[in-house]
Amino acid sequence: MKAVVATGYGQPEEFQVAEVPVPRPGPGQIQVRIAAASINPTDVVLPGGAYRGSVELEFPHVPGNDFAGTVTEVGPGVTAFAVGDEIFGAAVPRAMRAIASKTRPSLSTGAFAEYAVFEADAPVLAHRPPGLDAADAAALATAGMTALPLIGKAKLKEGQTALVIGATGGVGTALVPLLAAAGVHVIATATEADVELLRGLGAAEVIGYGDAYPQDVDTVFNLVLKADRIAPAVEAVRPGGKLLSIVYPPAEPVRDDIEQEFVLDLDGEFGDMSDVAELAVSGALTATISRRYTLDEGREACVAFVREHTAGKVVITT
């Protein structure tokens, strides 16, 4: 089969589109014919060697976490899915088993391929409803499963304020509409080119990346800042407020009058992929896709994701 492949640690410019063996499912696993996949930072950071030492890859390595496709084969013991089912979800490479869910890990052989194998019993896999396009489903998988716990942890009320730092990414473009629908006053960071997009998603205010953050914000959502750059975001939170971050490794708390938490919901405590599907069909969760590539253009898609500014998600279709 055809797949995007990293043959060793390196940058996405070194990825190739090559022929690799079709993976086969074992007990508790399913094989899926991939229709669409979307790019996440892990897909390019991991082969780049950033986590080398804690996560060692075997090469050739096929990246790709988020996907939508059709079940083509089921392994022994699988009851949740059958051949012909349209499904979507998210799964990390098998090399990341140590940091996956301890109870129902979602692991795969890599979604930037014609076929991939996934663990069937995982909260981040679900049937794709007819009203949800395959590309949209792939774009919403990790973004939706990240936005839901952020909303759940924040517990914001109508009229309160939220600062979303990194609002134009996949998670940000899923999070902003959910906050706006709850009556939250959303302040989003973005480039000038993305102001119209974010206002359309429900942001009440849009500020530049270099602008000073507002003060006394009820909840700050940090979607992009690393620990050495997070101090201004911390200072923006009102006493008794919250700073919720999805950036790994998490920053150490520096204020004792706010809640500061790294949010990662591997077990779907705040909603599983079926909830993402339901919200997407209802229109509450919307997919923002800025660029689409074919599998043959998979290397170029990964390069563009890293080297160029993109709003929302970059999707690879097969």
Side-chain angles (χ1 to χ4, degrees):
M1 70 171 185
K2 193 181 298 182
V4 177
V5 173
T7 57
Y9 287 109
Q11 298 305 304
E13 285 85 353
E14 300 173 57
F15 292 177
Q16 302 174 15
V17 176
E19 290 290 330
V20 297
V22 176
R24 299 294 302 279
Q29 298 174 341
I30 54 174
Q31 181 195 74
V32 176
R33 176 65 168 92
I34 303 296
S38 70
I39 305 178
N40 291 300
T42 304
D43 299 324
V44 291
V45 170
L46 200 61
Y51 301 136
R52 195 173 181 181
S54 57
V55 178
E56 292 289 339
L57 296 181
E58 292 185 6
F59 297 101
H61 169 74
V62 178
N65 297 350
D66 290 2
F67 77 97
T70 307
V71 177
T72 46
E73 187 177 349
V74 299
V78 173
T79 58
F81 302 106
V83 172
D85 284 356
E86 296 293 334
I87 71 169
F88 78 112
V92 297
R94 290 173 174 175
M96 297 180 69
R97 177 181 293 273
I99 59 176
S101 169
K102 304 305 180 185
T103 56
R104 298 166 66 193
S106 185
L107 307 169
S108 89
T109 56
F112 297 171
E114 291 180 299
Y115 291 89
V117 165
F118 302 89
E119 302 296 327
D121 182 26
V124 288
L125 267 63
H127 290 90
R128 177 171 65 86
L132 181 59
D133 176 77
D136 289 347
L140 283 172
T142 290
M145 284 293 291
T146 306
L148 291 183
L150 288 171
I151 291 287
K153 291 280 188 179
K155 298 180 181 176
L156 284 163
K157 299 177 181 177
E158 184 176 357
Q160 289 189 304
T161 58
L163 171 63
V164 182
I165 302 173
T168 57
V171 175
T173 52
L175 178 63
V176 168
L178 292 175
L179 291 170
V184 175
H185 184 90
V186 180
I187 306 165
T189 67
T191 65
E192 185 65 30
D194 296 321
V195 171
E196 185 176 347
L197 167 66
L198 285 171
R199 287 198 176 277
L201 292 173
E205 300 179 49
V206 182
I207 61 176
Y209 290 127
D211 294 346
Y213 296 146
Q215 299 300 296
D216 296 320
V217 175
D218 292 297
T219 298
V220 172
F221 296 94
N222 172 38
L223 310 182
V224 293
L225 298 178
K226 295 186 182 300
D228 60 351
R229 297 174 54 212
I230 204 171
V234 174
E235 293 306 313
V237 184
R238 66 165 175 82
K242 300 176 182 179
L243 172 64
L244 303 178
S245 178
I246 63 169
V247 180
Y248 184 86
E252 292 293 327
V254 294
R255 284 178 60 184
D256 58 11
D257 63 338
I258 68 171
E259 294 182 37
Q260 186 174 335
E261 184 174 354
F262 173 70
V263 178
L264 180 63
D265 184 21
L266 295 174
D267 293 311
E269 177 186 352
F270 289 91
D272 59 19
M273 202 61 72
S274 295
D275 296 304
V276 172
E278 184 177 340
L279 288 168
V281 171
S282 73
L285 260 180
T286 56
T288 300
I289 300 174
S290 60
R291 301 188 185 187
R292 299 172 188 252
Y293 295 82
T294 65
L295 185 58
D296 286 331
E297 300 167 327
R299 184 188 72 85
E300 289 82 356
C302 294
V303 170
F305 179 82
V306 173
R307 307 300 177 204
E308 302 173 21
H309 173 73
T310 55
K313 300 290 289 188
V314 175
V315 169
I316 298 171
T317 58
T318 60

